[in-house]
């Protein structure tokens, strides 16, 4: 019989307690047990980035963590990002710049972008592309995604400058 | 695919962890960052009876500079090493190499101890450990020992670590000002290297020669120190001699083992990687 373990963690701001099979990975647990199907599953070995989400505010692969490992930690999925004022500009820029077509890569792409934009510093398009190189998109050709992230980056940098946070 | 069944253990101390390893030996696998073990479980390349999750051992995470050594705990994540300004200052080779390791989401979880324990022949951190003359600290119930990086990597995914031992820390000697170069050839950014070179040069003391340590990786079943190449680098003073250096590099690699894949092509990649790494050394390549 598959061994089970108890976990208590924060999911998109709410405390959750569940019993999980120890061999179940995080993204399967979120999709199957928590009903949060926003995070996608592609390769299941860390390559495609579709399952990327935020654990303790860092972008990680949901397919490369066990659900058992999030005991005591905090998880934010795309469902949580949708309610998060702080990243509204990013979500709007993705729509405005056509940074998604089928949307399969989008939840993972957003998690990567959220972390990338948290401490904004000037970045070239090439650097942005390199930063998202762990997330595959089969539709957009990436240009529109770089447009969206670049737009948000520029705005955030300009706001910081206006607030006197940047010399 | 999905991971097979296993028993999940989560020690709260190193003592507990090594006791678990002693009890289960080969049947157990340590889970550190999981960025290699989880894919192996998901693809069922690995099917350990027991998984020992060491992520609660916070004593194994962190970077300390003491008495001429930089000690990096085995559970220190790549992202945290990259974010530490002292690393860029004192171990610039690591700062140069880390951006080549996978992608940010992998670097947020993956640990330096996991990389050395796994000993992938194309991985960056084992090659850097060789070039920097690092020592790897292992612990078991019998006690602790330190192994020189050049005695640690024995073959394909094979190291001097015994089944009942765990990796505790990597100790890098801080030898004063050094110049470093790092270059690898890979199909895409973040992929494992097809060929790579890591170079450390200590400037010449008055009246002496500079000292070089050069590691090659991605070519054989393990990373190697190119000792003959290093000697020639120290002795030739002009860039026109680059060809001698690159020929010595080929010889060092061929002497150490059989090249994986198309040898001719890979040697050309290796020469290119070394040349580009040497070109990064300021003020002159040699
Ligand atoms: C898409 C992708 C791309 C990647 N690209 C690269 C790359 O370009 N370069 C590169 O170097 N790596 C790359 N990796 C691998 C990554 O760097 C891994 O993080 C690393 O190889 C293993 O570290 P870990 O902490 O994740 O170890 P784990 O996956 O947890 O463990 C790996 C192995 O080491 C053992 N182990 C771990 N810690 C210890 C310890 N303290 N003591 C004893 N044994 C231990 C485990 O039992 C296991 O056998 C990539 C991974 C992915 C998914
Ligand atoms: S499903 Fe996790 S990276 Fe592809
Ligand atoms: S929008 Fe379809 S994969 Fe990116």
């Amino acid at each position: 019989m598959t061994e089970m373990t108890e976990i208590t963690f924060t999911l998109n701001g709410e405390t959750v307690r569940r019993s999980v099979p120890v061999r179940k990975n995080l993204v399967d647990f979120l999709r199957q047990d928590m009903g949060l199907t926003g995070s996608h599953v592609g390769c299941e070995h860390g390559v495609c980035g579709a399952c990327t989400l935020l654990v303790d505010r860092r972008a990680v692969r949901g397919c490369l963590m066990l659900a058992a490992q999030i005991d005591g930690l905090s998880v934010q999925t795309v469902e949580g990002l949708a309610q998060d004022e702080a990243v509204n500009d990013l979500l709007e820029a993705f729509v405005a710049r056509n940074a998604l077509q089928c949307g399969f890569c989008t939840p993972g792409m957003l998690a990567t972008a959220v972390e990338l934009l948290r401490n904004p510093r000037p970045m070239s398009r090439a650097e942005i592309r390199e930063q998202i190189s762990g997330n595959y998109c089969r539709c957009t050709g990436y240009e529109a995604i770089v447009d969206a992230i670049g737009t948000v980056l520029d705005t955030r940098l300009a706001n910081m400058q206006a607030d006197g946070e940047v010399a | 695919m999905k991971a097979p069944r296993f028993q999940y253990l989560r020690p709260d101390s190193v003592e507990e962890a090594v006791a678990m390893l002693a009890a289960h030996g080969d049947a157990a696998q340590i889970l550190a960052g999981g960025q290699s073990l989880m894919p192996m479980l998901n693809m069922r390349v690995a099917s350990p009876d027991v998984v020992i999750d060491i992520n609660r051992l916070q004593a194994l995470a962190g970077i300390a500079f003491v008495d001429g050594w930089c000690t990096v705990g085995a559970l220190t994540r790549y992202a945290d090493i990259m974010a530490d300004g002292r690393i860029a200052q004192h171990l610039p080779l690591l700062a140069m190499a880390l951006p080549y390791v996978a992608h940010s989401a992998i670097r947020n979880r993956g640990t330096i101890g996991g990389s050395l324990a796994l000993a992938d022949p194309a991985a960056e951190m084992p090659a850097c450990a060789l070039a920097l003359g690092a020592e790897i600290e292992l612990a078991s119930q019998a006690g602790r020992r330190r192994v020189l990086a050049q005695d640690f990597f024995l073959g394909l995914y094979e190291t001097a670590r015994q089944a009942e031992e765990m990796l505790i820390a990597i100790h890098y000697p801080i030898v004063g000002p050094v110049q470093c170069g790092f270059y690898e050839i890979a199909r895409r950014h973040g992929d494992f290297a097809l060929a790579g070179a890591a170079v450390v040069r200590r400037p010449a003391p008055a009246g002496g020669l500079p000292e070089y340590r050069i590691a090659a990786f991605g070519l054989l079943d393990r990373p190697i120190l190119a000792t003959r190449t290093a000697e020639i680098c120290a002795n030739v003073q002009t860039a026109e001699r680059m060809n001698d250096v690159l020929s010595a590099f080929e010889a060092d690699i061929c002497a150490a083992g059989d090249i994986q894949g198309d040898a001719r092509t890979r040697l050309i990649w290796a020469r290119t990687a070394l040349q580009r790494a040497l070109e990064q050394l300021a003020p002159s390549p040699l």
Side-chain angles (χ1 to χ4, degrees):
Chain A
M1 206 190 74
T2 296
E3 188 186 322
M4 303 288 286
T5 188
E6 288 282 316
I7 55 173
T8 306
F9 68 107
T10 309
L11 179 56
N12 296 327
E14 286 181 25
T15 303
V16 175
R17 196 182 160 83
R18 280 287 185 288
S19 184
V20 295
V22 295
R23 71 185 187 92
K24 195 163 207 167
N25 70 42
L26 176 54
V27 68
D28 281 347
F29 164 71
L30 292 171
R31 290 175 58 86
Q32 295 166 8
D33 298 29
M34 301 306 301
L36 296 183
T37 52
S39 306
H40 293 156
V41 182
C43 65
E44 299 190 315
H45 62 272
V47 174
C48 73
C51 64
T52 308
L53 39 78
L54 297 161
V55 171
D56 281 0
R57 290 165 53 84
R58 281 181 161 192
V60 304
R61 299 291 201 236
C63 69
L64 299 186
M65 273 186 89
L66 298 170
Q69 293 186 289
I70 57 165
D71 183 40
L73 306 184
S74 135
V75 176
Q76 194 176 27
T77 64
V78 70
E79 289 87 348
L81 292 178
Q83 310 296 323
D84 187 342
E85 292 277 323
V87 300
N88 229 332
D89 53 348
L90 178 65
L91 306 192
E92 278 170 11
F94 261 62
V95 176
R97 306 307 294 255
N98 280 324
L100 61 150
Q101 289 176 26
C102 78
F104 189 78
C105 69
T106 313
M109 204 60 93
L110 287 171
T112 301
V114 164
E115 189 183 38
L116 178 64
L117 291 164
R118 191 174 296 134
N119 302 111
R121 59 174 178 89
M123 260 190 284
S124 65
R125 289 184 72 85
E127 275 178 275
I128 296 175
R129 266 200 94 131
E130 188 166 309
Q131 293 291 330
I132 60 168
S133 65
N135 293 77
Y136 286 3
C137 175
R138 300 286 78 168
C139 303
T140 64
Y142 301 99
E143 291 299 324
I145 297 173
V146 177
D147 290 343
I149 295 174
T151 310
V152 177
L153 181 63
D154 290 346
T155 315
R156 289 196 187 179
L157 284 171
N159 289 343
M160 282 165 73
Q161 201 140 23
D163 294 346
E165 287 175 44
V166 179
Chain B
M1 291 203 331
K2 311 295 176 192
R5 285 179 195 165
F6 51 76
Q7 189 190 348
Y8 179 70
L9 301 177
R10 190 162 48 197
D12 287 310
S13 67
V14 171
E15 294 67 40
E16 238 183 276
V18 294
M20 290 169 182
L21 276 177
H24 299 284
D26 272 340
Q29 286 263 350
I30 285 178
L31 175 61
Q35 304 301 291
S36 293
L37 183 59
M38 286 292 296
M40 293 192 287
L41 290 172
N42 287 350
M43 292 190 281
R44 304 218 173 176
V45 180
S47 47
D49 296 336
V50 180
V51 168
I52 304 172
D53 180 354
I54 61 169
N55 281 277
R56 295 233 167 134
L57 307 186
Q58 277 315 306
L60 295 188
I63 301 172
F65 285 82
V66 182
D67 293 338
W69 290 88
C70 168
T71 298
V72 181
L75 195 64
T76 314
R77 317 222 183 245
Y78 300 121
D80 294 324
I81 304 174
M82 285 173 85
D84 193 317
R86 297 171 303 170
I87 293 290
Q89 193 187 341
H90 297 290
L91 292 166
L93 183 67
L94 290 186
M96 294 169 99
L98 281 163
Y100 284 96
V101 180
H103 313 283
S104 57
I106 312 282
R107 293 194 298 260
N108 279 340
R109 290 295 299 170
T111 69
I112 188 152
S115 177
L116 298 195
L118 183 67
D120 189 298
E124 292 81 3
M125 290 302 107
C128 290
L130 279 178
L132 292 166
E135 295 181 14
I136 291 145
E137 185 175 349
L138 301 164
S140 71
Q141 281 191 315
R144 297 197 175 194
R145 64 179 179 127
R146 279 162 80 145
V147 181
L148 269 175
Q150 63 226 56
D151 300 326
F152 188 73
F153 302 105
L154 302 180
L156 190 64
Y157 303 116
E158 200 190 321
T159 69
R161 182 181 76 84
Q162 304 293 313
E164 71 280 5
E165 283 179 314
M166 74 182 277
L167 224 142
I168 293 293
I170 302 99
H171 303 275
Y172 300 94
I174 303 295
V175 294
V178 288
Q179 290 158 340
C180 301
F182 185 92
Y183 196 84
E184 73 175 47
I185 292 177
R187 291 230 182 271
R188 287 167 310 190
H189 175 87
D191 280 6
F192 280 100
L194 299 166
V199 179
V200 178
R201 175 170 67 180
R202 285 173 78 174
L209 292 171
E211 191 192 314
Y212 284 78
R213 285 178 71 92
I214 300 176
F217 62 102
L219 296 145
L220 305 170
D221 59 352
R222 66 196 188 286
I224 60 150
L225 266 184
T227 47
R228 182 87 193 100
T229 316
E231 248 171 66
I232 292 189
C233 280
N235 284 289
V236 300
Q237 297 300 324
T238 58
E240 289 88 78
R241 307 286 289 279
M242 183 67 94
N243 243 332
D244 296 346
V245 170
L246 299 181
S247 303
F249 194 49
E250 271 195 23
D252 268 336
I253 293 163
C254 292
D258 286 333
I259 296 182
Q260 323 285 309
D262 179 351
R264 198 56 240 146
T265 310
R266 299 195 84 122
L267 280 173
I268 293 169
W269 287 336
R271 290 172 71 112
T272 308
L274 178 63
Q275 182 162 2
R276 292 190 184 160
L278 287 169
E279 282 164 3
Q280 292 166 7
L281 301 180
S284 72
L286 286 170

